Amino acid sequence: MLIKYLFAKNEDIPAGSSSVFFGFSAIFWFVIGTGLGSFNAAKLAFPDWVTGSEMFAFGHMRQVHVLAVILGWISMAFAMTMMYMTPALGNTKLWSEKLGLWNAFIWNVGLSLGLFLLWMGITSGREYSDIIWPVDLAIMFGVLLPLGINVWMTIAHRRTQGIYITNWFFGACVFFIIVVFAVGQSPELFNLTGLTEAYMTFWFAHNVLGLWITPVAAAIAYYTIPKLTGNPLYSHRIGHLHFWSIIAFYSTPASHHLMSAPLPEWLKSFASVEGVLILIPAVAFVANILLTMKGKWSMFVENIETKFSITGVLLAIPLNMQGGFQQTRAINWYIHGTGWIVAHAHLALLGMSTFLEIAAVYFGLQQILRRKLYSLALANFHYWFVLIGFCIYWISMTIAGLIQGAGKIYEVPYIDVVVAEHPYMIARWVGGTMVFTGNLVWLYNMYMTAREGTVVPAGRYAHEMAYER
Amino acid sequence: MAFQQHKLGAAAIGGMLGLSMTITLMFPSFDFRSAESTWVGLDKSLSNGRVIGFSYEDPTVTGANKPITVILDKDPKTGEKIDPPMRAYVYEPGVPFAPAVRHPANTGPTVSQLSLSVGKMGEATEAQGAVFAINRGEVNGKDWDYIENLTALKGWTPADTLRAATDENTRYVGKGKTVYITEGCWWCHTLLPEQTQDWQIFGAPPMLGDFNGEMPTAFGSDRKAPDILHVASRNSSREWMDMHFFNPRLVQPNSIMPRFDYLWGETDAHGNKIDFDKWRTEYKEYRAGTRIYPPEIPEYAGNSEVRALVDWILTSLK
Ligand code: HEM
């Protein structure tokens, strides 16, 4: 339905259209991505389940899952929030709704193409940069750059004196992701080889998390929590401490992903130290948000968006404690390359980041569509399924990782480790499938909201209104 | 508004990122550039070709236009016996050269100097193809491995060399590594024994110069299976590998490794169609206990993907 606006005049496009397009695309990719995740998990638990074709082989599907959730769900949800928060915080309109719509359209097409090719095995063989370079260029110029232009121009045309912390993050992070993406893909374009290639692959992988996924997710919370609770942000200064220390400390420890590769020792030590310093922005963020909740903690129980948001913030605590310390040499040798890391990755992406985005997508879609959420019961179902499913995933993979670590240092035959891990592989599959089920319900709930949700009168917030159903 | 926050902010942000990139990208690049390639590094680069994965020469990533590794026991030109047999890398006309040849600086200052002056590497052209090998030479009292261009030094042509080697001594290493990449073996396996442990079971960790000119390195970050950097030293049985790829549960009942029977392709070594359904039915009977022996696995064709994969494992992962 929004496709019709692709060729409309910019003035004729209703405000928020691109946000809605991005929002529904994001939910759709979330369902696809977690479905693939659940399928992969099943393959690791029951290797003989679906066989005989390369199309259902684990090695063909794992990267599709990873990139579908990162580029489809997480990044599109970011774009969705940028499209409505940036103008709202600048007291202005989005610079170009039309560009936003095209952005969303090309994003969907490009991502589908890239993932289809990966599925066929047409890959560059570089973790997180698997997509081949022609599609990379399309992502760079058709997806990231237009997003950046829209955000920057909206900020530059703001009608407020200052810039709120969320917009600082948005503006800077789209710039970072463009630079980081360009650097990360350069080995393919310029035929850089050897350790340079390996290091740049992980420089990209690290910074995509550090300068894109975690900070933008945090920026979203800086908007949603004050907006939902009606409390002003506890401290804008602490917000700035968070912002600047992210750039200083999070952009540097890339080599902590390669602690056992023959990289220069100074680089590894440097990365370790900088990695611990990531705790500074982490603590600043968590403290700032939790203090903003003062007097409004009842909303954590009563309001679904706050519930998601605060859960995400609380999950940031173990996330950063793990992150800060697991990359020091003292700990990394034990857990490197084990399921522990997979658990940690899902804590960051499926735990902290996803919960914050879900809240913003719930909130934003209701606001833009001027419709109240169709069903609170379904939303609560979604919350508990994602949370419990995630916890099962996280706990089981953490245990599996510790088993693997023990197997590694005691040098037991590897097959014994495989046998010992088996129950946890099954548990992971169960947990992941719960997440997937929850998301299906969410997609339905949002679709019904757009069609049949109670209309929200102008000047009111959806979450202030009672349910009529 | 005279004072624009976002202008000052943009400058500060750009400056900080620039500083961070100088430290984390530019400084390490000095270390990487000075790394001298080891034998392993040269061997990997020469046998993998320009790049593995999507590229101009191999857009569908099936291992097209890759160099071919051969084990020679006689001189392709004179027919003289070579003892012990030597390893050579055959680039047929038109096959793009490895980074080690295209950009000699990749192999490190001393090694590239030796390859160019003594090894005549610079004289090779892609249009005519070339045969390369690795030799050892001395500079300043230290031994170095370097690349020799045997087409220039001994007049070996790619065609003669392939003929002299025969199919039996031909190893499709570059194509095999391509299969490793496309099939995503590296999501479970690593090619990087860790420095802190792993020595006893998985062998020595790689050295700084082991990666020069390799693309992609794909040593893996997430281990669900043994490290296989040195697997051929533990287990060099082609028969075991074949059975293990067709169905890992044939040799290791508790394995979670997927079946790679589809790498056999449509037809077997004798050109007959492979009947996978029949095999599966018989295998089910075997698992159910109604058959004593598992069914025989098909013999694969010489140009099948699994042949290349096993070639790569048994040749490169020592
Ligand atoms: C938004 C949600 C999710 C995100 C952002 C996400 C992200 C990721 C990432 C980044 C990896 C790579 C991990 C690594 O290499 O260390 C990964 C792997 C994986 N994910 Fe997810 N994931 C999500 C949800 C799920 C769900 C619901 C499942 C279902 C069980 C799942 C199953 C898997 C599996 C099986 C792997 C492969 C792990 C391995 O290779 O050991 N993921 N995911």
Side-chain angles (χ1 to χ4, degrees):
Chain A
M1 5 144 215
L2 287 165
I3 306 282
K4 68 168 185 268
Y5 290 124
L6 283 179
F7 297 102
K9 279 217 215 71
N10 194 26
E11 302 84 66
D12 300 342
I13 307 176
S17 301
S18 39
S19 205
V20 173
F21 194 166
F22 268 122
F24 277 97
S25 312
I27 303 179
F28 174 74
W29 282 108
F30 196 15
V31 172
I32 305 253
T34 45
L36 287 169
S38 154
F39 188 83
N40 284 350
K43 297 281 296 186
L44 288 178
F46 314 106
D48 277 338
W49 183 36
V50 184
T51 55
S53 159
E54 58 179 22
M55 297 315 285
F56 297 108
F58 177 75
H60 280 251
M61 292 185 61
R62 183 193 190 272
Q63 63 272 47
V64 183
H65 157 67
V66 171
L67 293 178
V69 285
I70 293 183
L71 295 176
W73 157 242
I74 294 201
S75 300
M76 278 208 195
F78 284 170
M80 183 270 175
T81 56
M82 288 177 180
M83 298 282 138
Y84 82 86
M85 288 181 188
T86 318
L89 289 168
N91 196 11
T92 177
K93 283 203 311 208
L94 187 65
W95 184 65
S96 168
E97 282 290 343
K98 190 167 176 174
L99 182 63
L101 285 176
W102 274 101
N103 198 185
F105 180 70
I106 295 177
W107 198 322
N108 279 307
V109 174
L111 186 59
S112 312
L113 177 71
L115 294 185
F116 175 73
L117 290 176
L118 277 189
W119 200 319
M120 306 294 294
I122 302 192
T123 167
S124 64
R126 304 174 53 226
E127 187 164 7
Y128 296 105
S129 314
D130 322 59
I131 294 185
I132 60 175
W133 62 262
V135 182
D136 283 338
L137 289 178
I139 295 180
M140 180 82 186
F141 294 104
V143 170
L144 299 178
L145 213 53
L147 177 67
I149 291 173
N150 229 346
V151 171
W152 298 324
M153 292 311 275
T154 309
I155 296 179
H157 289 159
R158 72 189 181 282
R159 291 189 294 181
T160 53
Q161 167 70 47
I163 302 176
Y164 183 64
I165 189 69
T166 300
N167 273 354
W168 276 107
F169 271 109
F170 283 176
C173 290
V174 271
F175 168 67
F176 293 152
I177 188 68
I178 291 172
V179 175
V180 167
F181 193 80
V183 172
Q185 311 314 319
S186 58
E188 283 159 60
L189 289 170
F190 305 116
N191 201 10
L192 306 179
T193 56
L195 277 179
T196 314
E197 182 272 323
Y199 178 57
M200 287 194 28
T201 304
F202 278 90
W203 193 86
F204 171 76
H206 174 80
N207 284 318
V208 130
L209 290 160
L211 298 180
W212 177 244
I213 296 180
T214 36
V216 179
I220 290 174
Y222 281 131
Y223 178 89
T224 40
I225 291 294
K227 202 78 183 173
L228 288 163
T229 57
N231 284 351
L233 183 64
Y234 175 73
S235 160
H236 203 252
R237 272 192 205 168
I238 298 188
H240 268 284
L241 172 67
H242 175 199
F243 177 66
W244 294 99
S245 54
I246 281 269
I247 310 179
F249 302 134
Y250 222 141
S251 66
T252 41
S255 59
H256 67 206
H257 295 260
L258 296 171
M259 286 307 247
S260 58
L263 291 183
E265 289 299 314
W266 72 264
L267 188 62
K268 293 189 206 167
S269 303
F270 177 70
S272 264
V273 176
E274 294 279 304
V276 177
L277 291 176
I278 292 179
L279 284 169
I280 295 174
V283 173
F285 164 65
V286 174
N288 210 354
I289 296 287
L290 294 185
L291 287 168
T292 304
M293 282 297 286
K294 200 167 157 204
K296 292 288 168 64
W297 276 100
S298 59
M299 288 186 81
F300 180 34
V301 185
E302 291 157 5
N303 174 270
I304 186 72
E305 293 90 357
T306 316
K307 205 187 266 184
F308 270 111
S309 259
I310 292 298
T311 311
V313 175
L314 292 176
L315 287 175
I317 299 172
L319 170 69
N320 290 303
M321 289 297 157
Q322 282 192 347
F325 295 109
Q326 72 189 11
Q327 44 95 37
T328 58
R329 287 172 200 246
I331 299 179
N332 190 266
W333 68 282
Y334 194 84
I335 50 150
H336 177 80
T338 67
W340 172 288
I341 305 292
V342 178
H344 175 76
H346 285 83
L347 175 59
L349 296 173
L350 175 58
M352 179 230 179
S353 171
T354 289
F355 276 80
L356 295 174
E357 286 139 32
I358 291 180
V361 174
Y362 265 117
F363 178 75
L365 282 181
Q366 291 179 65
Q367 260 345 94
I368 301 163
L369 297 167
R370 308 300 307 160
R371 297 248 188 198
K372 180 146 181 83
L373 192 61
Y374 174 68
S375 161
L376 181 64
L378 289 184
N380 273 318
F381 177 90
H382 179 211
Y383 174 81
W384 287 110
F385 260 56
V386 175
L387 183 63
I388 297 174
F390 156 71
C391 288
I392 297 180
Y393 189 122
W394 181 41
I395 294 169
S396 61
M397 285 319 284
T398 302
I399 299 177
L402 292 173
I403 296 177
Q404 259 176 296
K408 192 158 81 167
I409 57 166
Y410 296 115
E411 311 221 334
V412 302
Y414 204 90
I415 190 64
D416 294 340
V417 176
V418 173
V419 174
E421 275 185 299
H422 190 233
Y424 304 99
M425 292 286 174
I426 299 177
R428 179 241 300 261
W429 169 64
V430 172
T433 309
M434 282 178 73
V435 175
F436 171 59
T437 318
N439 288 336
L440 272 178
V441 169
W442 187 30
L443 183 61
Y444 171 76
N445 200 8
M446 279 339 262
Y447 177 72
M448 292 308 280
T449 303
R451 285 185 52 144
E452 291 179 15
T454 314
V455 176
V456 178
R460 299 294 304 277
Y461 284 118
H463 65 268
E464 297 167 351
M465 303 186 31
Y467 278 89
E468 289 176 11
R469 205 166 285 105
Chain B
M1 278 183 280
F3 173 68
Q4 286 283 19
Q5 272 194 2
H6 65 259
K7 293 200 177 140
L8 183 66
I13 291 167
M16 281 174 84
L17 187 68
L19 180 65
S20 152
M21 285 172 66
T22 310
I23 300 177
T24 60
L25 287 174
M26 202 164 103
F27 290 177
S29 77
F30 300 141
D31 290 87
F32 296 146
R33 277 189 78 85
S34 62
E36 300 274 10
S37 195
T38 58
W39 184 88
V40 175
L42 295 177
D43 173 62
K44 273 202 272 194
S45 187
L46 286 175
S47 57
N48 289 356
R50 191 177 76 95
V51 41
I52 303 256
F54 177 83
S55 57
Y56 296 116
E57 63 265 26
D58 188 14
T60 51
V61 202
T62 46
N65 287 318
K66 289 273 171 296
I68 296 168
T69 307
V70 293
I71 313 291
L72 290 174
D73 52 13
K74 61 174 196 274
D75 187 311
K77 201 154 177 223
T78 60
E80 244 171 84
K81 198 164 153 42
I82 303 178
D83 193 37
M86 67 177 283
R87 197 179 280 203
Y89 311 88
V90 183
Y91 285 71
E92 288 167 292
V95 174
F97 285 160
V101 183
R102 293 163 72 98
H103 311 288
N106 262 337
T107 55
T110 319
V111 174
S112 61
Q113 198 46 45
L114 268 175
S115 309
L116 289 171
S117 58
V118 186
K120 302 256 187 296
M121 185 174 79
E123 290 174 20
T125 60
E126 286 176 5
Q128 282 165 5
V131 180
F132 297 104
I134 303 172
N135 205 342
R136 247 178 127 68
E138 199 196 289
V139 176
N140 297 336
K142 227 182 137 214
D143 277 345
W144 302 89
D145 292 301
Y146 67 94
I147 299 175
E148 271 186 339
N149 171 3
L150 296 180
T151 310
L153 293 174
K154 296 194 180 165
W156 294 3
T157 64
D160 286 347
T161 313
L162 285 182
R163 208 172 306 121
T166 71
D167 189 58
E168 195 192 338
N169 288 326
T170 304
R171 308 274 186 271
Y172 294 102
V173 173
K175 184 175 170 189
K177 173 88 185 278
T178 311
V179 177
Y180 182 76
I181 298 296
T182 54
E183 294 311 318
C185 314
W186 50 295
W187 296 126
C188 292
H189 292 281
T190 49
L191 293 173
L192 187 71
E194 291 174 22
Q195 291 166 347
T196 38
Q197 60 277 323
D198 283 354
W199 290 72
Q200 295 207 13
I201 291 193
F202 297 142
M207 314 224 274
L208 182 59
D210 282 1
F211 300 99
N212 296 21
E214 188 182 12
M215 167 75 191
T217 38
F219 40 62
S221 64
D222 178 1
R223 200 188 268 172
K224 294 179 271 298
D227 188 283
I228 55 172
L229 185 64
H230 303 295
V231 67
S233 316
R234 307 193 280 273
N235 179 354
S236 60
S237 157
R238 194 173 263 272
E239 203 186 351
W240 189 92
M241 291 289 163
D242 295 350
M243 286 175 73
H244 188 251
F245 283 125
F246 199 80
N247 185 339
R249 262 72 61 200
L250 286 174
V251 286
Q252 178 49 268
N254 291 315
S255 179
I256 59 160
M257 178 155 145
R259 301 181 193 185
F260 288 99
D261 44 5
Y262 57 82
L263 294 180
W264 264 245
E266 299 275 306
T267 49
D268 67 8
H270 312 291
N272 301 325
K273 203 165 157 42
I274 303 178
D275 192 347
F276 288 103
D277 288 336
K278 177 158 167 275
W279 195 91
R280 279 154 189 273
T281 325
E282 289 178 2
Y283 177 70
K284 271 206 197 99
E285 290 165 13
Y286 164 69
R287 289 296 283 232
T290 50
R291 233 182 108 98
I292 298 173
Y293 297 108
E296 288 283 323
I297 62 167
E299 227 178 296
Y300 48 70
N303 60 0
S304 61
E305 287 178 297
V306 61
R307 146 95 193 261
L309 183 65
V310 180
D311 276 356
W312 170 69
I313 292 178
L314 296 183
T315 313
S316 289
L317 304 185
K318 287 257 170 76

Coordinates of all heavy atoms in Angstrom, one line a residue, chain B residues 6 18 40 42 52 56 67 117 130 141 151 159 164 176 186 207 212 236 266 279 303 308:
Chain B
H6 N 26.0 21.2 15.7 CA 26.3 20.0 14.9 C 27.6 20.1 14.1 O 28.2 19.2 13.7 CB 25.1 19.6 14.0 CG 24.8 20.5 13.0 ND1 23.7 21.4 13.1 CD2 25.3 20.8 11.7 CE1 23.6 22.1 11.9 NE2 24.6 21.7 11.1
G18 N 38.9 9.3 13.3 CA 40.2 9.3 12.6 C 41.4 8.8 13.4 O 42.2 8.0 13.0
V40 N 54.4 -22.3 4.4 CA 52.9 -22.5 4.4 C 52.2 -21.4 3.7 O 51.3 -21.6 3.0 CB 52.5 -22.6 5.9 CG1 51.0 -22.7 6.0 CG2 53.1 -23.8 6.6
L42 N 53.3 -19.3 1.4 CA 53.5 -19.4 -0.1 C 52.7 -20.5 -0.7 O 52.0 -20.4 -1.7 CB 55.0 -19.6 -0.4 CG 56.0 -18.5 0.0 CD1 57.4 -18.9 -0.3 CD2 55.6 -17.2 -0.7
I52 N 39.6 -16.8 -3.4 CA 38.6 -17.8 -3.3 C 37.3 -17.1 -2.9 O 37.3 -16.1 -2.2 CB 38.9 -18.8 -2.1 CG1 40.3 -19.4 -2.4 CG2 37.8 -19.9 -2.0 CD1 40.4 -20.8 -2.9
Y56 N 35.7 -12.2 -10.4 CA 35.5 -12.2 -11.9 C 35.7 -13.6 -12.5 O 34.9 -14.0 -13.3 CB 36.5 -11.3 -12.6 CG 36.4 -9.9 -12.2 CD1 37.4 -9.2 -11.5 CD2 35.2 -9.1 -12.5 CE1 37.3 -7.9 -11.2 CE2 35.1 -7.8 -12.2 CZ 36.2 -7.2 -11.5 OH 36.1 -5.9 -11.2
P67 N 44.3 -22.4 -10.0 CA 45.5 -23.2 -10.3 C 45.3 -24.6 -9.8 O 44.4 -24.9 -9.0 CB 46.5 -22.5 -9.4 CG 45.8 -21.8 -8.3 CD 44.5 -21.4 -8.9
S117 N 64.5 -12.1 -8.1 CA 65.8 -12.1 -8.7 C 66.2 -13.6 -9.0 O 66.5 -13.9 -10.1 CB 66.8 -11.5 -7.7 OG 66.8 -12.2 -6.5
A130 N 51.8 -20.4 -16.3 CA 53.1 -20.7 -15.8 C 53.0 -21.8 -14.8 O 52.0 -22.2 -14.3 CB 53.6 -19.4 -15.1
G141 N 73.0 -15.5 5.6 CA 73.2 -16.6 6.5 C 71.9 -17.2 7.0 O 71.9 -17.9 8.0
T151 N 58.5 -22.2 -15.5 CA 58.3 -22.0 -16.9 C 59.5 -21.2 -17.5 O 60.1 -21.5 -18.5 CB 57.0 -21.2 -17.2 OG1 56.0 -21.9 -16.5 CG2 56.7 -21.2 -18.7
A159 N 50.7 -27.3 -19.8 CA 50.1 -28.5 -20.4 C 51.0 -29.7 -20.2 O 50.6 -30.8 -19.8 CB 49.9 -28.3 -21.9
A164 N 52.4 -34.8 -17.4 CA 53.4 -35.6 -16.6 C 52.8 -36.1 -15.3 O 53.2 -37.1 -14.8 CB 54.7 -34.8 -16.4
G176 N 39.1 -27.3 -3.9 CA 38.7 -27.9 -2.7 C 38.5 -26.8 -1.6 O 37.5 -26.8 -0.8
W186 N 33.5 -23.8 7.7 CA 34.2 -22.9 8.7 C 33.2 -22.3 9.7 O 33.6 -21.6 10.6 CB 34.9 -21.8 8.0 CG 34.2 -21.1 6.9 CD1 33.6 -21.6 5.8 CD2 33.8 -19.7 7.0 NE1 33.0 -20.7 5.1 CE2 33.0 -19.5 5.8 CE3 34.0 -18.7 7.8 CZ2 32.5 -18.3 5.5 CZ3 33.5 -17.4 7.5 CH2 32.7 -17.2 6.4
M207 N 51.8 -19.4 12.2 CA 52.7 -18.3 12.5 C 52.3 -17.0 11.7 O 51.5 -17.1 10.8 CB 54.1 -18.7 12.1 CG 54.4 -20.1 12.6 SD 56.0 -20.2 13.3 CE 56.9 -20.6 11.9
N212 N 50.2 -14.8 4.5 CA 50.4 -13.8 3.4 C 49.8 -14.2 2.1 O 50.0 -15.3 1.6 CB 51.9 -13.6 3.2 CG 52.6 -13.0 4.4 OD1 52.1 -13.1 5.5 ND2 53.7 -12.4 4.2
S236 N 45.2 -39.6 7.6 CA 45.4 -39.3 6.2 C 44.7 -40.3 5.3 O 45.0 -40.5 4.1 CB 46.9 -39.3 5.9 OG 47.4 -40.6 6.2
E266 N 25.6 -35.8 -9.6 CA 24.6 -36.7 -10.1 C 25.1 -38.1 -10.4 O 24.5 -39.1 -10.1 CB 24.1 -36.1 -11.4 CG 23.4 -34.7 -11.3 CD 22.0 -34.9 -10.9 OE1 21.2 -35.6 -11.6 OE2 21.6 -34.3 -9.8
W279 N 20.1 -45.7 -1.4 CA 21.1 -45.7 -0.3 C 20.5 -45.3 1.0 O 20.8 -45.9 2.0 CB 22.2 -44.6 -0.7 CG 23.5 -44.9 0.2 CD1 24.5 -45.6 -0.2 CD2 23.7 -44.3 1.5 NE1 25.4 -45.6 0.9 CE2 24.9 -44.8 1.9 CE3 23.0 -43.5 2.3 CZ2 25.5 -44.5 3.1 CZ3 23.5 -43.2 3.6 CH2 24.8 -43.7 4.0
N303 N 35.9 -35.3 -11.4 CA 35.7 -33.8 -11.3 C 34.6 -33.4 -10.3 O 34.1 -32.3 -10.3 CB 35.3 -33.3 -12.7 CG 34.0 -34.0 -13.2 OD1 33.4 -34.8 -12.5 ND2 33.5 -33.6 -14.4
A308 N 37.7 -32.7 -5.0 CA 38.6 -31.6 -4.7 C 38.7 -31.3 -3.2 O 39.8 -31.0 -2.7 CB 37.9 -30.4 -5.4

